[in-house]
Amino acid sequence: MNTLTKPMGQPLDRVDGRLKVTGQARYAGEYPEEGLLHGSVVSSSIANGRVVSIDASRALALPGVIAVIDHTNRPKIASYDESYDDADSAEGSPFRPLYNDRVLYSGQPLALVVADNLELARYAGSLVKIEYEIQPHQTDLLTLQDEAHPAPAELPEPRGNFQAEFAGAALSLDLNYSTPIEHHNPMEPHASTVLFQADDSLHIHDKTQGPQNCQSYVQKVFGLEKQQVRIFAAYVGGAFGSGLRPQYQLPLAVMAALHLKRSVRVTLTRQQMFTFGYRPRTLQRLQLGAAANGRLLAVGHTAIGQTSRFEDFTEHVVEWSGMLYHCDNVQLTYKLVPLDVFTPLDMRAPGAALGLIGLECAMDELACALAIDPVQLRLVNYAERNQNEDKPYSSKELRECYAQGAKRFGWDQRDPEPRSMRQGHQLVGWGMAGGVWEAMQQKASAKASLDQNGKLTVSSATTDIGTGTYTVMTQIAAQASGVAVENVTFVLGDSSLPTAPLQGGSFTVSSVGTAVQQACEALKEKLLAVARQTSPAFSAVTSEQAVFEDGMLTFADARIALAELARNSGEEKLEAQVDAEPDKKREAYATATHSAVFVEVLVDEHLGTVKVNRVVSAIAAGRVVNPKMARSQILGGVVWGVGMALHEETQTDHTLGRHMNHSLAEYHIPVNADIGDIDVLFVEEHDEIVNALGSKGVGEIGIVGVAAAVANAIYHATGKRVRDFPITLDKLL
Ligand code: MOS
């Protein structure tokens, strides 16, 4: 028995861990059903043009192939046809699979083969013959950067006089960095299992970060009633942003199920995981002007990102450069280049993971140019306020991140001279960078329900994409209710549950956690009311006097089990549901998480191979609900940051307009052997403003700044600046 009276802050094991390691946790593509049909997607091989014809006769001739659905024979779809009426509707509108004959990018789904089993569907797909009218395509951001248009994003207004201060600064640097396309590649590929119900409604197991988002999408697109669509996502095998928007396998599976009045599953192959959203390629220009003492006089950050022809994808790439350091003369610019590609998509710390590469590498270059220690340079320019918003921070322990991170790492032993430290033929480099991410909160609802055995069930329509949501919500509920952890069950991943936002943006603890806490508080009030009515010893006890702990209500010498109160209530269950929203007091403050990352690399002098030997990541994210889960989040972020620095790059053959390394064999990510020691420390940060939990969320801050810290360490090791990411050995030699 694991009875913790104060479960928050404890390193509780994952409550769903056993189910996952024993294979009992079912993922979207694993739900069995008698007579289930399997769909396989046929993708375009050209990047731009039209489909002239689709010949599915050979596929349809195979016994067991039920249907081949394409734009010519698909069922009428409510919102598709509305949009079809509008000549302009393709501009700035979401991608609609099998909409018409237009091919917008290589890999676009053009047909869905439905068969008795997956193998047959895939084989039949290989027999579908598509003829195209090919039109010229553009997929290379580099060649079209002069055609960039301003991104439709709300950037902070320029402040001060950037141009004049930059021109007049004692030292000015004008630097260009570039980052590649990256794909999410969660372990679980996208899948939707649509279970066709007897009453014509749909139960859908979908790989998504937001079941209610997918519910309203399916409802709208197919013109269904809300109660006809229920989306489940009990377990999600990683997502990182790839499940924020409904992915095309969902409408395809629904289309087939409605058309055939059968249950249908559509799973994407690993290669097809490269046929939708991704982290966009960016070109970044950093202009820093500084006084001789290191004070920043001018900061300019221009980013150009790629987008599709049909949507303008924006993220926060450059904003961080106006807030991480104090500077009165700032100019931020963000542009987009539409290409014949799919629309990019949020990927872990969207924008920040990119923009901080430019900013934090440039700060390192500035430190070197001024012969100031990189940590010292950051302290000289420490921002007490968020100047973008002109607000103080609700809390900001970044100084402690620098100090504690540096101490743990042994930064004071660093010789600033590049190539000055070595172990045999390995050049040793020490680099650092800072990180920042927003601490957001969204509206969310939760329901708490106590049964007559004292078991508490708390629910909300959020998801757990591997982040530990099941576990931390269990802890928050246990602490807020006084029910022991082992008697608490948290239920999520079902669109019929109380409203929750997407799991994303690192705001789930803040948003759903607050709702869970408030639902449990409301439940306690109900329990106390029952106690006052039914138990004389509690007749005059106030909420402040009542103590809820270990499944008991206590006041002075009187104790009563919460289970007994549930029984005494006359109801089968005692329930409380709340709608929580961000507290008004947040409005006067900027809220953010911060990090300081210290990295040691070993670079082979002769081969140019880079090994990230040691990382210390010091994080300020408010109160940590579960240090074990939180540490895992940061570890994952650091590993990904190492990948951004050294490995990850979706390579596009611009002649074909097609991603070439679309497999986990050729799309490089760090493996165990690439990862050295990672030390995560959470600095104490008290925040009464951000929410009642004092907790800011740790899903994304772990990746921010890591790639820059690795790049800075490589410079320190080798004396060579590589500004084109990833830093592969050919660029180093
Ligand atoms: Mo995250 S990119 O908000 O899943």
Side-chain angles (χ1 to χ4, degrees), residues 209 240-241 244 346-350 503-505 700:
Q209 293 171 246
F240 314 113
L244 289 171
D346 287 332
M347 182 191 280
R348 201 173 200 170
Q503 170 151 102
E700 314 196 75

Side-chain angles (χ1 to χ4, degrees), residues 94-229:
F95 175 67
R96 289 164 287 182
L98 314 190
Y99 176 51
N100 62 14
D101 62 349
R102 284 283 293 124
V103 177
L104 302 165
Y105 70 100
S106 178
Q108 176 176 325
L110 295 181
L112 182 73
V113 179
V114 184
D116 285 342
N117 63 68
L118 178 61
E119 292 72 20
L120 179 60
R122 284 184 71 172
Y123 172 63
S126 73
L127 303 179
V128 173
K129 214 170 137 35
I130 302 178
E131 278 184 44
Y132 302 96
E133 175 194 311
I134 299 174
Q135 289 161 9
H137 62 259
Q138 298 279 5
T139 54
D140 189 356
L141 174 66
L142 213 52
T143 62
L144 288 190
Q145 54 179 309
D146 295 338
E147 294 174 25
H149 65 259
E154 279 179 39
L155 290 186
E157 288 294 310
R159 60 177 180 259
N161 188 340
F162 165 77
Q163 290 300 349
E165 293 295 328
F166 181 69
L171 182 76
S172 56
L173 295 179
D174 191 344
L175 304 162
N176 288 285
Y177 302 89
S178 60
T179 64
I181 293 176
E182 294 171 5
H183 277 85
H184 302 76
N185 278 304
M187 284 296 287
E188 178 202 17
H190 281 249
S192 303
T193 302
V194 181
L195 302 176
F196 196 84
Q197 305 295 297
D199 64 356
D200 279 12
S201 71
L202 305 177
H203 283 186
I204 304 173
H205 296 277
D206 189 41
K207 189 224 173 78
T208 177
Q209 293 171 246
Q212 289 171 330
N213 184 41
C214 289
Q215 181 194 33
S216 72
Y217 171 83
V218 169
Q219 204 194 320
K220 267 190 298 196
V221 168
F222 293 93
L224 302 170
E225 300 296 321
K226 191 170 179 187
Q227 64 275 11
Q228 288 177 283
V229 183

